[in-house]
């Protein structure tokens, strides 16, 4: 499935300036995503990542995200909502999967945890669309993320915006923008397991 093409078709059919609730993991991934879509949508970023193993790191990433969006110029003003730091929720879904390899079933559950909270809040706040920056990373399973988003769309009154942001050199562009804006680029996804494996 070409999720990038599906997204482009969706964008063609939206009302200009439609509101999008965008789950974001960090500033570097958000940079290239926002460059691509923030002139089509009025974006509200939802920073919600209970997988991050230390609150200090959680705060460091959200502060970097705020720094970036305050400097980054787009047609529509970008706003941000910081979610609660809830590592206990990640620990609950990871229970019994501690020895799973990265990119396995523990990661799938983590994707679902973060996307479901995004869809739930998008519905509560009245956003027509929701999406995630996670598909930008070549280390994330875009098929899983889009399948989860599609399934959540059936349960919540909000529409999932398909994506595969790594397409069209998205990941490469995120590296370039990170250098341009002097962004902190962490070398692991967030959880203690990814930190031990040093995978993004």
């Amino acid at each position: 499935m070409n999720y990038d093409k599906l997204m482009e078709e969706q964008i063609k059919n939206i009302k200009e300036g439609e509101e999008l609730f965008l789950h974001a993991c960090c500033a570097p991934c958000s940079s290239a995503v926002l460059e691509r879509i923030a002139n089509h949508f009025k974006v509200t970023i939802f920073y919600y990542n209970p997988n991050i193993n230390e609150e200090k790191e959680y705060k460091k990433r959200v502060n970097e995200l705020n720094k970036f969006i305050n400097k980054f110029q787009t047609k529509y003003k970008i706003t941000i909502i910081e979610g609660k730091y809830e590592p206990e929720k990640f620990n609950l879904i990871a229970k019994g999967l501690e020895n799973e390899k990265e990119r396995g079933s523990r990661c799938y559950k983590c994707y679902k945890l973060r996307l479901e909270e995004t869809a739930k809040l998008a519905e509560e706040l009245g956003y027509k669309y929701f999406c995630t920056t996670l598909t930008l990373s070549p280390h994330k399973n875009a098929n899983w993320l889009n399948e989860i988003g599609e399934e959540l769309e059936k349960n919540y009154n909000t529409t999932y915006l398909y994506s595969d942001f790594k397409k069209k050199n998205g990941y490469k562009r995120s590296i370039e923008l990170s250098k341009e804006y002097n962004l902190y680029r962490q070398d692991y996804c967030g959880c203690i397991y990814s930190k031990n494996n040093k995978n993004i």
Side-chain angles (χ1 to χ4, degrees), residues 4-199:
D4 183 68
K5 188 174 179 181
L6 282 176
M7 181 186 75
E8 289 185 345
E9 288 300 316
Q10 281 179 289
I11 289 174
K12 282 180 186 176
N13 294 306
I14 64 159
K15 180 178 72 176
E16 187 71 19
E18 189 68 77
E19 292 186 320
L20 171 71
F21 202 55
L22 177 67
H23 166 263
C25 53
C26 61
C29 287
S30 299
S31 64
V33 171
L34 290 169
E35 184 178 65
R36 182 141 184 222
I37 66 171
N39 289 321
H40 299 289
F41 293 95
K42 289 179 183 175
V43 177
T44 295
I45 290 174
F46 179 44
Y47 179 79
Y48 179 72
N49 302 288
N51 57 308
I52 296 175
N53 71 309
E54 295 177 352
E55 188 169 9
K56 182 180 176 182
E57 179 71 14
Y58 192 86
K59 292 291 185 183
K60 185 174 183 178
R61 295 188 194 187
V62 75
N63 289 340
E64 200 71 3
L65 188 53
N66 273 300
K67 183 181 86 171
F68 174 71
I69 64 172
N70 285 332
K71 291 180 179 178
F72 192 61
Q73 297 296 311
T74 56
K75 183 176 180 179
Y76 301 105
K77 181 177 171 58
I78 301 164
T79 55
I80 184 168
I81 293 174
E82 182 180 346
K84 293 178 183 176
Y85 180 54
E86 301 176 315
E88 67 280 1
K89 289 191 175 180
F90 172 77
N91 293 334
L92 186 62
I93 63 102
K95 193 172 182 180
L97 301 171
E98 294 87 351
N99 296 318
E100 283 279 312
K101 290 183 179 180
E102 284 295 288
R103 308 182 206 180
S105 57
R106 185 182 61 242
C107 292
Y108 181 92
K109 287 193 168 188
C110 181
Y111 298 163
K112 188 171 183 182
L113 173 65
R114 291 187 275 175
L115 274 174
E116 182 148 26
E117 188 66 19
T118 304
K120 179 184 175 183
L121 195 53
E123 179 186 64
E124 287 177 10
L125 297 176
Y127 285 85
K128 188 170 181 181
Y129 291 91
F130 76 104
C131 188
T132 181
T133 62
L134 289 172
T135 64
L136 181 103
S137 171
H139 301 291
K140 300 290 185 290
N141 189 319
N143 288 337
W144 280 358
L145 287 160
N146 282 286
E147 286 166 8
I148 291 166
E150 187 175 50
E151 189 62 32
L152 289 171
E153 180 183 286
K154 298 172 185 175
N155 300 326
Y156 295 92
N157 187 28
T158 182
T159 301
Y160 180 69
L161 181 72
Y162 292 102
S163 71
D164 193 350
F165 288 118
K166 73 178 73 62
K167 300 287 188 181
K168 296 183 171 63
N169 291 316
Y171 183 68
K172 179 175 178 285
R173 183 60 182 149
S174 75
I175 294 171
E176 293 168 351
L177 286 166
S178 295
K179 289 178 181 176
E180 182 181 339
Y181 287 88
N182 193 30
L183 299 177
Y184 161 62
R185 285 182 63 84
Q186 64 280 355
D187 60 359
Y188 66 105
C189 180
C191 73
I192 189 63
Y193 312 106
S194 64
K195 187 175 185 179
N196 291 338
N197 286 282
K198 291 296 181 184
N199 283 328

